């Protein structure tokens, strides 16, 4: 079954007997509703008395739901508590409630929230409807349409003001963001026999066509000839050759250049340092950083991004074969620095190092953000919901955290201390090794620092590293992580008012940022 998501500007009148409805919100927001505000979705099956009794019966711990009419009209309450490191939108609970309360037919979801949580809630709903499936027995007649409608409540619960209208521009932003989230999740959910480097490039080209952008693609032996020793070294053993692909949005009047660099390992066997039989399943998700950036780039450009924006995709399959990189091999990366390979399963940092170097040298980016399913240690360090954040700039550390809280794609900082940690990569014969000597010494920080070293720790611009190895999925399904985060983080550079209203302040001058960098 394929579900079509349609965001609407106001409440349409539907009968729950023909079009089931799920109403989701915090108890304090549901209590602000008058029956008049919601009756379009409930009459004639649900009376005002039943509605009021249902609201009063909700006692979320952490969530709760109440049937209003058979299983065709349901009211669901989000958690009451929200700590300072959780998203106020309760986005993760929104996704779970949608998954458990919808029934897979043409239906409606009514989201009750404050205006500041509309974007995160829309992205959370999109995550509940994955696109990829190879289950048999389905047909096109099984397709369904889910209408997503909002009732926006005031942040001041005393005045009880509600609104059911979003502007057409706001609806478009939500549509494009949901498309980006579902695109990213579909790519991550698709196995390598259907999502190898060729297939990923087709996805890049399709987004390029939709945005009228022609990608730059460097492939196979051309990578070696042009000095991309990291991407080429990782992918050269695979049947399908590796690639660097770049989508560039360069509007007139831009004064800043931003590059998003994504790890696109379409499958990671570990190479000759091969993974075990229980560690390898799920490695189709190792392209999650590149997939998230592709979805975010689509949504950002659709939102009329005003600055130069480059999406750099570092694509390879880390395979075992006669041409595979061997431990002890030394590769020269695009930065010109040499790397002694002591672990072929530490491959993501190699391809990303080429990507960020390209962004610095060729694209002249003054803000470089790389995103990757980089380390298993990330899940130990920051858990299943928070990506690990490493950056050379304290202001941006706070800015990215704020964007995470607003967007629902949570992040949390890890130590940035190259003078203490980068020595883990010491090599007697090359500039560095690619895997740490001590795996118990801030492993996720060290992995990020390896990438930063190929920019140079004196890089005068902004560098942000997001390790989202665990948030890339929830159970056996991809989350589309990164789309909401990046579009919110850089929302000030979009012309769409909804994104501008929730985005953090990016007025951090590069010259001041350079002074605040910690250098080795």
């Amino acid at each position: 079954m394929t579900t079509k998501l349609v965001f609407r500007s106001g409440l349409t009148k539907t009968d729950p007997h023909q079009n089931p409805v799920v109403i989701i919100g915090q108890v304090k927001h549901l209590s602000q509703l008058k029956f008049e505000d919601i009756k379009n979705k409930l009459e004639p099956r649900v009376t005002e008395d039943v509605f009021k009794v249902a609201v009063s019966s909700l006692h979320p711990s952490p969530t709760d739901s109440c049937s209003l009419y058979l299983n065709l009209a349901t009211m669901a309450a989000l958690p009451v508590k929200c700590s300072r490191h959780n998203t106020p939108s309760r986005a993760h609970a929104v996704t779970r409630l949608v998954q458990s309360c919808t029934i897979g037919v043409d239906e409606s979801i009514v989201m009750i929230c404050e205006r500041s949580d509309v974007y995160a809630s829309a992205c959370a709903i999109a995550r509940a409807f994955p696109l990829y499936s190879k289950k048999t027995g389905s047909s096109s007649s099984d397709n369904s349409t889910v209408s997503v409608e909002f009732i926006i409540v005031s942040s001041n619960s005393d005045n009880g003001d509600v609104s059911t209208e979003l502007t057409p521009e706001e609806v478009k932003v939500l549509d494009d963001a949901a498309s980006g989230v579902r695109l990213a999740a579909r790519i991550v959910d698709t196995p390598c026999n259907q999502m190898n480097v060729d297939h990923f490039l087709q996805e890049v080209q399709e987004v390029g066509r939709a945005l009228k952008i022609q990608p730059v693609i460097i492939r196979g032996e051309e990578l070696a000839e042009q000095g991309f020793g990291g991407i080429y070294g990782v992918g050269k053993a695979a049947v399908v050759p590796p690639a660097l692909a770049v989508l560039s949005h360069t509007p007139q009047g831009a004064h800043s250049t931003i590059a998003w660099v994504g790890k696109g390992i379409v499958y990671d066997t570990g190479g000759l340092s091969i993974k075990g039989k229980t560690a390898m399943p799920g490695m189709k998700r190792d392209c999650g950083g590149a997939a998230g950036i592709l979805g975010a780039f689509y949504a950002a450009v659709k939102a009329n991004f005003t600055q130069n924006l480059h999406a750099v995709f570092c694509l390879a399959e880390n395979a075992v074969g006669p041409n595979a990189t061997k431990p002890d091999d030394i590769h020269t990366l695009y930065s010109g620095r040499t790397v002694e390979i002591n672990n072929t399963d530490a491959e993501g940092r190699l391809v990303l190092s080429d990507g960020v170097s390209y962004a610095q040298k060729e694209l002249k980016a003054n803000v470089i953000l790389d995103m990757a399913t980089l380390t298993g240690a990330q899940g130990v360090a920051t858990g299943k919901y928070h990506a690990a954040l490493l950056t050379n700039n304290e202001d941006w550390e706070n800015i990215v955290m704020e964007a995470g809280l607003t967007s629902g794609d949570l992040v949390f900082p890890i130590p940035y201390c190259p003078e203490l940690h980068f020595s883990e990569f010491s090599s007697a014969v090359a500039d560095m090794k690619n895997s740490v000597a001590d795996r118990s010494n801030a492993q996720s920080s060290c992995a990020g620092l390896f990438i930063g070293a190929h920019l140079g720790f004196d890089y005068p611009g902004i560098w942000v590293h997001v390790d989202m190895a665990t948030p890339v999925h929830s159970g056996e399904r991809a989350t589309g992580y990164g789309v909401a985060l990046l579009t919110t983080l850089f929302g000030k550079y979009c012309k769409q008012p909804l994104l501008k209203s929730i985005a953090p302040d990016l007025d951090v001058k590069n010259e001041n940022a350079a002074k605040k960098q910690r250098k080795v």
Side-chain angles (χ1 to χ4, degrees):
M1 174 182 290
T2 299
T3 300
K4 180 181 179 181
L5 279 185
V6 178
F7 291 87
R8 302 192 186 279
S9 61
L11 295 194
T12 55
K13 184 171 178 58
T14 54
D15 178 347
H17 194 76
Q18 279 80 42
N19 295 96
V21 61
V22 179
I23 303 164
I24 302 174
Q26 297 177 46
V27 169
K28 66 178 183 179
H29 294 152
L30 294 171
S31 299
Q32 285 180 246
L33 286 183
K34 300 178 179 66
F35 187 67
E36 290 290 317
D37 300 324
I38 196 71
K39 68 179 184 179
N40 274 358
K41 309 305 296 184
L42 299 176
E43 288 184 334
R45 311 297 172 177
V46 180
T47 66
E48 184 173 359
D49 287 341
V50 170
F51 171 76
K52 288 180 177 178
V53 170
V55 172
S56 64
S57 72
L58 291 170
H59 300 288
S61 181
T63 60
D64 194 13
S65 63
C66 177
S67 176
L68 301 172
Y69 171 70
L70 303 177
N71 68 335
L72 303 178
T74 304
M75 184 173 291
L78 295 168
V80 174
K81 293 183 179 179
C82 180
S83 72
R84 70 182 186 277
H85 292 146
N86 193 11
T87 170
S89 66
R90 282 79 163 167
H92 301 88
V94 170
T95 303
R96 287 192 291 268
L97 284 173
V98 171
Q99 289 169 331
S100 63
C101 294
T102 51
I103 58 177
V105 297
D106 290 344
E107 55 193 317
S108 297
I109 298 169
V110 180
M111 189 75 217
I112 320 296
C113 64
E114 297 175 17
R115 183 168 287 275
S116 58
D117 293 331
V118 165
Y119 190 73
S121 300
C123 292
I125 291 168
R127 292 185 193 103
F129 297 99
L131 290 169
Y132 180 80
S133 176
K134 285 298 178 182
K135 288 181 177 289
T136 58
S138 298
S139 67
S140 58
S141 62
D142 293 327
N143 294 346
S144 63
T145 298
V146 173
S147 297
V148 183
E149 301 165 0
F150 285 85
I151 294 180
I152 301 169
V153 298
S154 169
S155 57
N156 180 358
S157 59
D158 294 331
N159 63 28
D161 291 339
V162 301
S163 167
T164 60
E165 294 296 324
L166 294 172
T167 67
E169 291 81 6
E170 289 171 329
V171 171
K172 181 180 182 300
V173 166
L174 300 184
D175 274 328
D176 292 336
S179 296
V181 169
R182 299 178 83 196
L183 166 65
R186 176 175 60 77
I187 290 172
V188 173
D189 276 338
T190 305
C192 186
N193 63 327
Q194 298 167 22
M195 189 55 66
N196 59 32
V197 173
D198 282 342
H199 299 122
F200 203 114
L201 287 173
Q202 289 170 13
E203 299 289 345
V204 171
Q205 290 166 330
E206 189 167 328
V207 168
R209 281 192 292 272
L211 302 175
K212 297 180 172 56
I213 297 171
Q214 180 66 39
V216 172
I217 298 173
I218 305 170
R219 290 213 72 178
E221 296 302 318
E222 291 181 9
L223 290 167
E225 293 165 6
Q226 296 187 34
F228 294 94
I231 300 174
Y232 180 75
V234 170
K236 64 190 174 87
V239 173
V240 181
L244 179 86
V246 185
L247 287 170
S248 296
H249 170 70
T250 54
Q252 289 187 344
H255 57 77
S256 188
T257 299
I258 297 121
W260 297 340
V261 183
K263 174 187 173 183
I265 300 297
V266 293
Y267 201 81
D268 182 17
T269 67
L272 293 183
S273 305
I274 197 165
K275 295 178 183 289
K277 66 178 182 180
T278 58
M280 207 181 298
M283 284 299 107
K284 65 179 182 178
R285 303 186 189 111
D286 217 14
C287 62
I293 282 173
L294 183 60
F297 183 85
Y298 172 82
V301 175
K302 284 290 215 176
N304 297 318
F305 205 81
T306 62
Q307 304 303 312
N308 297 322
L309 180 63
H310 304 279
V312 182
F313 306 97
C314 307
L315 306 174
E317 179 185 343
N318 191 19
V320 176
N323 294 327
T325 289
K326 298 172 288 296
D328 295 337
D329 284 357
I330 295 176
H331 294 315
T332 302
L333 272 56
Y334 199 74
S335 64
R337 305 194 74 182
T338 56
V339 178
E340 178 187 2
I341 306 302
N342 61 336
N343 180 4
T344 63
D345 196 21
E347 84 297 331
R349 64 200 66 179
L350 297 171
V351 301
L352 283 174
S353 294
D354 277 354
V356 298
S357 297
Y358 181 87
Q360 177 190 22
K361 289 182 175 182
E362 312 303 332
L363 304 178
K364 310 301 181 186
N366 57 293
V367 178
I368 297 175
L369 182 148
D370 71 78
M371 190 165 72
T373 52
L374 201 68
T375 64
Q378 175 273 309
V380 177
T382 59
K384 293 194 295 184
Y385 302 103
H386 296 73
L389 165 65
L390 187 73
T391 176
N392 64 356
N393 183 272
E394 184 178 5
D395 290 322
W396 275 72
E397 183 176 282
N398 295 327
I399 285 169
V400 180
M401 278 192 68
E402 180 185 343
L405 293 172
T406 303
S407 68
D409 282 345
L410 296 170
V411 295
F412 197 80
I414 54 177
Y416 176 84
C417 197
E419 64 271 27
L420 295 183
H421 291 146
F422 191 67
S423 58
E424 290 291 343
F425 296 108
S426 180
S427 168
V429 293
D431 292 329
M432 65 193 80
K433 293 182 179 179
N434 76 315
S435 189
V436 293
D438 183 355
R439 296 179 68 84
S440 64
N441 185 20
Q443 192 180 155
S444 291
S445 289
C446 291
L449 289 174
F450 181 96
I451 299 164
H454 292 269
L455 286 175
F457 296 123
D458 57 352
Y459 171 60
I462 306 297
W463 170 64
V464 176
H465 165 68
V466 178
D467 185 345
M468 32 73 86
T470 311
V472 74
H473 72 103
S474 177
E476 294 190 8
R477 279 298 195 173
T479 59
Y481 183 96
V483 177
L485 175 66
L486 296 186
T487 51
T488 301
L489 175 59
F490 293 93
K492 291 293 185 189
Y493 292 151
C494 296
K495 290 183 179 179
Q496 298 291 358
L498 178 61
L499 282 173
K500 291 176 78 72
S501 69
I502 62 173
D505 185 6
L506 294 183
D507 190 22
V508 180
K509 303 299 184 184
N510 285 347
E511 55 267 28
N512 293 334
K515 296 176 184 177
K516 294 182 179 181
Q517 289 185 43
R518 291 159 173 81
K519 303 175 184 178
V520 290

